[in-house]
Amino acid sequence: MNKDILVCGVGGQGTVLASKLIASAAMNLGYTVHSAETIGMAQRGGCVTSHIRIGAKAYSPLIPHGSADIILAFEPAEAVRNLAYLKKGGLVIVNNVPVKPVTESLNDTGYDGQDMLTYLQSKCECIIVDAKKLCADFGSTRYFNVAILGVAAGSGRLGLDVQTILAEIETRVPAKFAETNKAAFTAGVEYSAADHRQ
């Protein structure tokens, strides 16, 4: 298997954990994995992008433009910002809940993410995920980082099976949060099975 996966969002959304779960799951299956993160200046609210390259054809950690098989986007504007990485026929899985930047808070520009989602739908295959609805049973959208992995695994496009990722969650997530994270992941798999492609 050769797979290029880009995970993007803003600080505090759990993008780095999601990328580490993907990378370690692939390594445990015996694949060569390269990964790299770029983290914005702000500890919370800054742009975060993780590149994960799986397979023998990946010679460097950074995904070239036009090569990503999947973009997992935790925020609509970040999906658009990173869309140049997506290959033709690639899939974007995106959260429909925007994270308003500081400039929006100061200037009230009206940003709600809808224009970004409309743009994405016009450019590529998308699965738009309502993080609030998906994570409602778990009391917090903090579990979206694991739920979106479930959506990706359920789509059949991630290249990693459900049980392998569940085992990684068991290993890498602190014990007191493991069961909730596993439930959130499973909810994501079920969400994808309902076919929300747009």
Side-chain angles (χ1 to χ4, degrees):
M1 176 181 73
N2 292 284
K3 193 77 67 174
D4 287 343
I5 302 160
L6 189 133
V7 182
C8 59
V10 300
Q13 288 188 297
T15 55
V16 174
L17 174 60
S19 66
K20 289 188 183 304
L21 288 170
I22 294 169
S24 60
M27 285 188 290
N28 283 339
L29 290 173
Y31 294 111
T32 299
V33 179
H34 299 278
S35 66
E37 283 105 24
T38 57
I39 298 174
M41 291 295 289
Q43 197 170 28
R44 292 193 178 272
C47 302
V48 179
T49 307
S50 296
H51 297 244
I52 307 125
R53 308 196 72 194
I54 303 168
K57 291 185 179 179
Y59 299 108
S60 69
L62 296 179
I63 299 170
H65 280 186
S67 298
D69 297 283
I70 300 178
I71 293 177
L72 303 182
F74 289 46
E75 203 283 330
E78 292 304 313
V80 172
R81 188 193 313 275
N82 288 284
L83 192 58
Y85 286 103
L86 190 69
K87 75 178 186 182
K88 186 176 181 180
L91 174 67
V92 174
I93 302 174
V94 59
N95 181 5
N96 75 349
V97 180
V99 176
K100 294 187 178 184
V102 174
T103 51
E104 158 63 20
S105 301
L106 296 173
N107 298 320
D108 192 21
T109 63
Y111 172 64
D112 63 2
Q114 289 307 306
D115 288 344
M116 303 296 177
L117 296 173
T118 300
Y119 178 80
L120 289 167
Q121 288 173 297
S122 73
K123 295 294 182 182
C124 62
E125 181 184 355
C126 296
I127 299 176
I128 298 174
V129 183
D130 185 334
K132 289 180 179 175
K133 184 176 180 180
L134 183 56
C135 297
D137 289 344
F138 313 113
S140 173
T141 55
R142 290 174 54 199
Y143 296 101
F144 182 73
N145 61 337
V146 176
I148 196 173
L149 287 186
V151 177
S155 75
R157 305 276 283 272
L158 189 62
L160 300 169
D161 66 89
V162 168
Q163 292 306 317
T164 300
I165 300 173
L166 281 171
E168 284 305 309
I169 294 169
E170 186 81 44
T171 301
R172 292 190 165 266
V173 172
K176 65 181 178 178
F177 300 117
E179 289 306 314
T180 306
N181 275 275
K182 285 160 66 177
F185 175 80
T186 301
V189 173
E190 291 169 355
Y191 184 95
S192 188
D195 196 5
H196 290 81
R197 283 178 176 78
Q198 299 185 31

